[in-house]
Amino acid sequence: MRILFAASEVVPFAKTGGLADVAGALPKALQALGHDVRLIMPRYRAVDAKQFGLKKILDRHAVSVGAHTRVCAVLEGRIPKTPIPVYFVDQPQLFDRDGLYQDQGADFPDNLERFSVFSQAVLSAIPKLGWQPQVVHTHDWQTSLVCAHLGWPLSSDRFWQSVGTVLTVHNLAYQGVFPPESWPLTNLPKALFSIEGLEFYGKINGLKGGLMSADLLTTVSPTYAKEIQTPEVGCGLEGVLASRREALVGILNGIDPEEWNPKTDAALAAHYWPGEVAGKAICKLALQKQQKLPDHHVLVIGMIQRLAEQKGIDIFTQAIDALMALPIQIVILGTGDPAYHDKLQALAARFSEKLSVNLRFDNALAHQIEAGADAFLMPSRFEPCGLNQMYSMRFGTVPIVRRVGGLADTVVDVSPQTLQHGTATGFVFEDYSAQALLEAVKRAVAAFRDHELWGALVRAGMQQDFSWDRSARDYVAVYERSISRRAARRSPPPADGSRRGGHAHSSAVAAS
Ligand code: ADP
């Protein structure tokens, strides 16, 4: 199958979060299954032409959005160590910036124009490259406009009409909401500023446009697929999602087993693998030294995250006094909300013997924390999939998580039964509260004293299979269905006037 990924970030070229990991790893798994996968993304400042061996394949490609015409180029590279082509839309006024979506914590004011130009460039440049996809796989609000154009104005375009569209929601909290005056920047007919289209409470909602128009929708874990149909987690779009529940599938993210492998990881002080974990103790000592923490034999807990409300920093800071009274050390790596930066910096100064805080994006340190920590804390308010808990298990680091979204789907709580069955992999708590978080950490501290029990948890985690292979097969099934839906949409109604199962909401792919 020929599959085009349109994504706003892709590892190793540009990354702010899990979307980039998925867009970098899933194509490799699809290619291993024999599919012809290609990607297209914006060329940000970080995408260095020399470093990635990029070649210009399209010059002076004009894209008109609203009142402006932007001239783009398209460069071609490869996902490193693979033959997978990646096309980069080069439009320096819009993308030659350090941030992907923000500058110093504030969204760029021209984000709608930026991702509308990118989406238009996808739709107008791909037909010029001598290759026709059968499916376009888009991701989050930034590329939702691709689905909106293919679902509506371009639905009978000769090049695109039979191409299935799939939209993956990586995080429903980011919807691309813009004032109604910006409508001309979408390049969509005004009639689509409506309840059936992109209008949402009087504003433009980019993600809603994708949710309403894509042939199929996926999200990144089965539990999150259910949760987003509820008011608690649906971020206002629960009704839209419930109305498309038959088109919505939850597929758990995998992890890149080469990028996250303690046996080969170049960032680590020592290597280890299932059955031979001695190197993990060396990584722990190296982490304590690097973080200027005393080399005590206590439970070292890692946290790596965007510092956003979603990630549970508020209940963590509420619990901090009680946490710091326990025999533990905590290493935090994160960037995000400046208010959390200030709070964490103040806490690090107060508890310098037990808490170290690194306020930056640092991939090597992320690997060192995953390897050097004994446990990994994710007290998320909501978590579509979460990758770090899976990286942690692969690195023999025991996750402590809240039972929500993908965390609920991947971590099995320690209990007498799960221990007996050998399925326990971590500590799971229910309530979104400082107290529940604290109790879970206390359970981990107690288990850490029991060498045999802790060893069993480490081993069970390292044996989990979170590879992309299974999920990639699930995506292929979704792609196939999207193509048949698209074909059914286009076929004429039967002579008796009744519809033939081609309506966008009709086929049986359910997230219930
Ligand atoms: P989200 O996509 O909500 O940010 P995920 O757990 O799905 O959360 O993915 C986060 C990814 O970003 C992980 O690979 C994590 O290691 C990485 N990450 C987050 N913050 C940092 C940071 N400050 N430095 C390095 N890596 C980070």
Side-chain angles (χ1 to χ4, degrees):
M1 198 184 302
R2 296 183 305 277
I3 306 152
L4 177 68
F5 271 59
S8 57
E9 48 184 281
V10 179
V11 161
F13 306 106
K15 165 169 167 174
T16 67
L19 156 57
D21 290 299
V22 174
L26 175 55
K28 292 193 216 172
L30 291 165
Q31 198 245 347
L33 293 176
H35 299 288
D36 177 0
V37 196
R38 306 185 184 198
L39 295 87
I40 186 161
M41 66 175 285
R43 185 198 180 184
Y44 304 102
R45 182 165 296 168
V47 182
D48 186 78
K50 262 211 193 112
Q51 183 193 348
F52 293 112
L54 308 187
K55 294 199 177 62
K56 195 176 280 184
I57 54 167
L58 206 58
D59 206 5
R60 306 200 61 72
H61 181 74
V63 172
S64 295
V65 157
H68 296 285
T69 296
R70 299 284 191 178
V71 178
C72 310
V74 177
L75 311 182
E76 183 179 353
R78 298 265 180 276
I79 294 189
K81 298 192 214 143
T82 77
I84 301 172
V86 185
Y87 304 119
F88 296 90
V89 173
D90 193 16
Q91 212 304 319
Q93 286 106 319
L94 298 176
F95 295 113
D96 186 12
R97 305 179 189 180
D98 287 330
L100 271 54
Y101 318 121
Q102 298 189 329
D103 184 27
Q104 306 200 339
D107 285 348
F108 291 126
D110 57 352
N111 272 345
L112 177 58
E113 183 184 1
R114 296 172 77 228
F115 290 101
S116 183
V117 166
F118 174 64
S119 299
Q120 293 293 307
V122 171
L123 295 166
S124 55
I126 292 292
K128 294 187 175 172
L129 301 183
W131 180 80
Q132 185 180 32
Q134 292 167 283
V135 180
V136 182
H137 187 169
T138 62
H139 301 266
D140 283 351
W141 78 264
Q142 290 88 342
T143 45
S144 282
L145 281 179
V146 172
C147 294
H149 281 272
L150 293 181
W152 292 310
L154 291 180
S155 61
S156 47
D157 177 86
R158 278 183 58 154
F159 184 87
W160 291 109
Q161 62 184 357
S162 57
V163 178
T165 53
V166 176
L167 168 64
T168 295
V169 177
H170 295 263
N171 193 333
L172 199 60
Y174 301 92
Q175 299 179 4
V177 176
F178 302 97
E181 312 78 82
S182 309
W183 184 259
L185 291 174
T186 65
N187 272 13
L188 287 166
K190 189 72 212 239
L192 289 172
F193 188 68
S194 66
I195 193 156
E196 290 295 315
L198 284 75
E199 189 267 338
F200 195 63
Y201 291 100
K203 295 192 171 151
I204 302 166
N205 186 311
L207 185 66
K208 184 183 168 227
L211 296 177
M212 298 295 283
S213 58
D215 294 314
L216 283 176
L217 307 173
T218 75
T219 189
V220 290
S221 70
T223 296
Y224 192 60
K226 288 182 207 151
E227 290 172 344
I228 55 178
Q229 298 176 49
T230 67
E232 294 74 36
V233 184
C235 302
L237 288 174
E238 58 274 9
V240 173
L241 285 154
S243 77
R244 294 219 60 198
R245 73 169 68 81
E246 290 159 302
L248 174 62
V249 194
I251 303 176
L252 196 67
N253 283 340
I255 62 174
D256 185 332
E258 285 163 32
E259 158 89 1
W260 296 93
N261 184 356
K263 193 173 180 182
T264 53
D265 196 321
L268 304 191
H271 292 139
Y272 58 96
W273 51 92
E276 183 44 76
V277 291
K280 187 162 172 66
I282 300 171
C283 293
K284 176 171 174 174
L285 283 173
L287 181 67
Q288 287 174 312
K289 188 165 178 215
Q290 180 205 46
Q291 295 293 308
K292 303 193 172 55
L293 293 168
D295 60 357
H296 299 158
H297 179 66
V298 292
L299 184 78
V300 172
I301 300 176
M303 291 174 82
I304 304 167
Q305 52 175 244
R306 286 181 296 111
L307 297 175
E309 199 213 345
Q310 166 201 342
K311 300 289 180 180
I313 286 285
D314 51 347
I315 57 171
F316 171 75
T317 52
Q318 284 160 24
I320 197 72
D321 286 294
L323 284 171
M324 291 288 98
L326 299 172
I328 62 174
Q329 294 171 350
I330 300 180
V331 180
I332 299 180
L333 170 63
T335 61
D337 189 334
Y340 291 131
H341 282 219
D342 296 346
K343 210 169 205 169
L344 289 174
Q345 222 148 18
L347 290 175
R350 231 177 103 202
F351 298 108
S352 57
E353 291 281 291
K354 301 185 95 172
L355 173 66
S356 86
V357 172
N358 305 269
L359 298 171
R360 60 180 189 275
F361 197 94
D362 185 336
N363 197 37
L365 181 55
H367 286 244
Q368 287 151 2
I369 293 174
E370 287 291 7
D374 299 297
F376 195 92
L377 180 60
M378 295 179 79
S380 304
R381 186 187 287 273
F382 65 91
E383 192 62 72
C385 177
L387 294 168
N388 279 306
Q389 81 280 12
M390 294 191 269
Y391 300 151
S392 296
M393 286 185 257
R394 187 148 163 81
F395 278 68
T397 302
V398 178
I400 306 170
V401 304
R402 182 157 174 257
R403 195 188 304 281
V404 69
L407 301 176
D409 291 332
T410 49
V411 184
V412 178
D413 190 32
V414 170
S415 74
Q417 290 81 5
T418 57
L419 282 175
Q420 199 185 357
H421 295 139
T423 52
T425 51
F427 299 89
V428 183
F429 61 98
E430 302 281 342
D431 291 348
Y432 187 74
S433 71
Q435 192 56 33
L437 183 161
L438 182 63
E439 290 307 321
V441 174
K442 282 183 177 168
R443 286 168 63 211
V445 169
F448 185 65
R449 291 201 185 102
D450 181 338
H451 286 291
E452 210 171 303
L453 167 58
W454 196 262
L457 292 177
V458 168
R459 276 194 301 280
M462 292 185 86
Q463 277 158 9
Q464 301 294 310
D465 177 10
F466 293 120
S467 67
W468 268 106
D469 185 61
R470 200 195 55 219
S471 301
R473 290 171 199 275
D474 291 344
Y475 274 106
V476 171
V478 167
Y479 298 151
E480 280 164 357
R481 287 194 192 107
S482 78
I483 296 168
S484 16
R485 276 191 171 212
R486 178 60 53 146
R489 257 213 230 192
R490 286 177 39 239
S491 44
D496 66 2
S498 65
R499 285 196 69 93
R500 265 204 305 244
H503 188 267
H505 301 184
S506 66
S507 107
V509 187
S512 53

